[in-house]
Amino acid sequence: MPVIIADLSDRPLDVAEHLAAVEDPSAGAIASFIGRVRDHDPGADGEVVALDYTAHPDAIVTLGAIAERFAVDGVRIAVSHRIGHLEVGGVALVACVSTAHRAEAFDVCRALVEAVKAELPVWKRQLERDGSHSWVGIV
């Protein structure tokens, strides 16, 4: 069962839960990524104060499929994405990957995060300090 967590949640993400989920006696390395809401974005005209994440109804299935692609040969994965309202500093994405060796853990974690960012049908509405907003990720 190499994909331990693949979830979307409207509640705060628990980094410790994700780290514990990929613990295994055969794992010599755990690489993790924590994506947080920042106060700026190239597409924003002003200071970003919050994000509202919206997901397609099938997004959870997509996230599971993405995780499964990377969970091979002793790789254990825990990955979750937030939906709903997040203030600056809020945790939007957690990915933890355990493997026997560090190089593989780093490589798989990075590839997993890039795939989630590119393929997961989740969109964000950026809220700016002046009250304006813009959508990101909608084509």
Side-chain angles (χ1 to χ4, degrees):
M1 176 164 136
V3 175
I4 312 304
I5 299 172
D7 196 23
L8 296 176
S9 179
D10 61 356
R11 303 173 90 186
L13 302 180
D14 185 339
V15 176
E17 175 187 14
H18 286 72
L19 287 168
V22 298
E23 281 286 337
D24 188 84
S26 66
I30 297 175
S32 62
F33 174 83
I34 301 167
R36 299 179 47 201
V37 176
R38 62 180 182 259
D39 67 358
H40 64 280
D41 186 82
D45 291 328
E47 181 183 358
V48 175
V49 295
L51 298 176
D52 290 328
Y53 283 99
T54 304
H56 186 278
D58 292 336
I60 188 78
V61 174
T62 302
L63 184 59
I66 293 167
E68 286 291 338
R69 282 200 329 251
F70 294 97
V72 295
D73 300 327
V75 175
R76 294 171 61 90
I77 292 176
V79 60
S80 295
H81 201 295
R82 268 296 300 272
I83 54 174
H85 184 80
L86 281 85
E87 301 288 328
V88 169
V91 176
L93 175 62
V94 173
C96 294
V97 174
S98 69
T99 64
H101 303 286
R102 71 180 172 275
E104 183 182 19
F106 283 130
D107 292 346
V108 172
C109 190
R110 181 183 179 107
L112 171 66
V113 169
E114 295 299 337
V116 168
K117 296 295 287 177
E119 301 170 34
L120 188 66
V122 169
W123 308 278
K124 62 184 178 184
R125 183 171 69 124
Q126 291 187 141
L127 307 169
E128 297 180 31
R129 181 155 313 281
D130 67 2
S132 64
H133 71 272
S134 60
W135 283 93
V136 178
I138 293 182
V139 243

